[in-house]
Amino acid sequence: MSNILFNIFPNENFIDLCMYQFGYEKCDPGHSFGPATRNHYLFHYVLSGTGTLMADDAKGITQTYSVKSGQGFMIFPGQINTYIADERLPWEYMWIEFDGLRIKEALGVTDLCKNAPVYHSHSKELREKLADEMNYIVNHPNESSFHLIGHLYLFIDYLLQSAKSTKLVSSGRMSDYYIKEAINYIEQNFQNNISIEDIAAVCGINRSYFGKIFRNSIGRSPQEFLMNYRMVKATELLKLTSLSIADISSAVGYENQLHFSRAFKNIYGISPREWRNQNK
């Protein structure tokens, strides 16, 4: 294998789970990257050697971690970080950058967070399966987007299983159910004129409580999530179809084209028509 492999995933039209780049590197002694931030989640798995991760915790205070073979580290969106290969025994690692609507919720079953970014597996078998999936993705960059996303799902599954938190979360189980019900409802009905009250009613809880648990779990309000979901669907239609702006507006749940265009511009900074022209 070459000392470094780097690939950019060619398709960003996946919403629940998407990959952005992936690669492998056998680092030179003292090789470093950063300080830097990422827009998405970036996971490194260390195959051999050792190194140091310096990353800001949830309070913005830089913490230092030693990471060795068989371990890994997660860089979270917006987190300032630097990582450095050991001078005597530099690390060799694989990485995948990914994101999606449910990633924050999914990682909630693990202890991985800004305050604990180092990956420790409680199962050698699951850890090896995780590494196998990463290795497959890294070495098969020319496979189809759907094929690679399939292997990314397997990687995520092994990551969650192998790093599952040993702490029992007594108060979170029912709220997790509500969030799943809400997201399923949005996925099935985003094209209709639905309200946050409608979504809360489907879950059988009041709007105020629903808004609180949704923000705590997903990191944004239900209104923000619904709008972002609709806008991502709109970009798919703008890029992949020749539908008019009015038709796309209606297809993603906006009866008023002007309201749709304003919402789109709030998210992307340009009008739907301009976005389409730039992404042909």
Side-chain angles (χ1 to χ4, degrees):
M1 183 183 285
S2 169
N3 277 357
I4 182 167
L5 298 173
F6 176 80
N7 289 282
I8 295 176
F9 189 64
N11 190 331
E12 294 189 12
N13 291 322
F14 295 88
I15 299 174
D16 281 347
L17 181 62
C18 186
M19 186 155 46
Y20 295 89
Q21 50 113 333
F22 51 91
Y24 157 92
E25 185 167 6
K26 187 171 185 178
C27 296
D28 293 329
H31 171 74
S32 67
F33 183 88
T37 61
R38 298 283 180 173
N39 293 325
H40 310 288
Y41 295 87
L42 179 63
F43 181 80
H44 286 71
Y45 180 77
V46 182
L47 295 164
S48 65
T50 186
T52 300
L53 168 69
M54 292 176 287
D56 283 4
D57 62 17
K59 295 182 179 179
I61 301 171
T62 302
Q63 305 293 338
T64 301
Y65 310 88
S66 178
V67 189
K68 62 184 181 180
S69 60
Q71 297 179 342
F73 58 93
M74 182 77 79
I75 294 168
F76 292 80
Q79 182 182 32
I80 300 173
N81 67 91
T82 301
Y83 41 101
I84 308 168
D86 187 75
E87 289 284 357
R88 299 174 63 184
L89 192 62
W91 50 18
E92 170 190 18
Y93 51 51
M94 300 178 288
W95 72 83
I96 297 179
E97 185 176 8
F98 60 93
D99 212 331
L101 292 177
R102 298 187 176 186
I103 290 301
K104 183 180 180 187
E105 174 195 0
L107 289 174
V109 305
T110 75
D111 290 322
L112 287 168
C113 62
K114 284 186 177 181
N115 291 335
V118 178
Y119 164 77
H120 302 276
S121 174
H122 59 70
S123 166
K124 181 174 183 289
E125 179 185 2
L126 290 171
R127 185 187 75 213
E128 290 175 347
K129 287 182 176 180
L130 173 144
D132 286 345
E133 292 303 328
M134 294 187 73
N135 186 61
Y136 184 91
I137 291 169
V138 167
N139 287 285
H140 293 81
N142 296 322
E143 295 289 351
S144 73
S145 297
F146 284 100
H147 186 89
L148 291 176
I149 285 293
H151 284 276
L152 181 62
Y153 270 101
L154 291 172
F155 156 75
I156 294 292
D157 182 52
Y158 294 134
L159 174 66
L160 300 181
Q161 287 191 60
S162 63
K164 187 169 289 187
S165 175
T166 56
K167 292 178 287 189
L168 294 176
V169 185
S170 59
S171 63
R173 298 303 91 193
M174 202 62 194
S175 64
D176 288 349
Y177 169 78
Y178 292 143
I179 299 305
K180 287 182 173 64
E181 285 293 294
I183 292 176
N184 285 334
Y185 183 78
I186 289 171
E187 289 176 340
Q188 297 300 319
N189 295 277
F190 71 92
Q191 69 275 22
N192 300 322
N193 185 25
I194 59 174
S195 66
I196 304 307
E197 287 83 359
D198 293 333
I199 304 170
V202 167
C203 298
I205 55 180
N206 68 57
R207 173 177 174 155
S208 177
Y209 177 62
F210 170 64
K212 179 180 178 180
I213 64 172
F214 195 96
R215 181 178 285 279
N216 287 341
S217 177
I218 303 299
R220 61 181 69 173
S221 71
Q223 295 95 327
E224 291 169 333
F225 182 92
L226 176 59
M227 179 184 292
N228 275 273
Y229 192 91
R230 283 170 163 167
M231 293 305 110
V232 172
K233 286 294 187 182
T235 61
E236 290 182 9
L237 294 173
L238 287 166
K239 188 172 184 178
L240 303 176
T241 76
S242 58
L243 289 172
S244 69
I245 305 300
D247 287 341
I248 292 174
S249 170
S250 177
V252 298
Y254 285 85
E255 296 178 356
N256 186 307
Q257 183 181 335
L258 180 59
H259 291 168
F260 164 69
S261 295
R262 285 175 179 170
F264 190 96
K265 192 167 185 178
N266 283 338
I267 300 293
Y268 295 103
I270 56 177
S271 71
R273 196 174 307 280
E274 290 171 315
W275 192 96
R276 170 176 269 170
N277 291 334
Q278 291 180 14
N279 290 274
K280 285 183 177 178

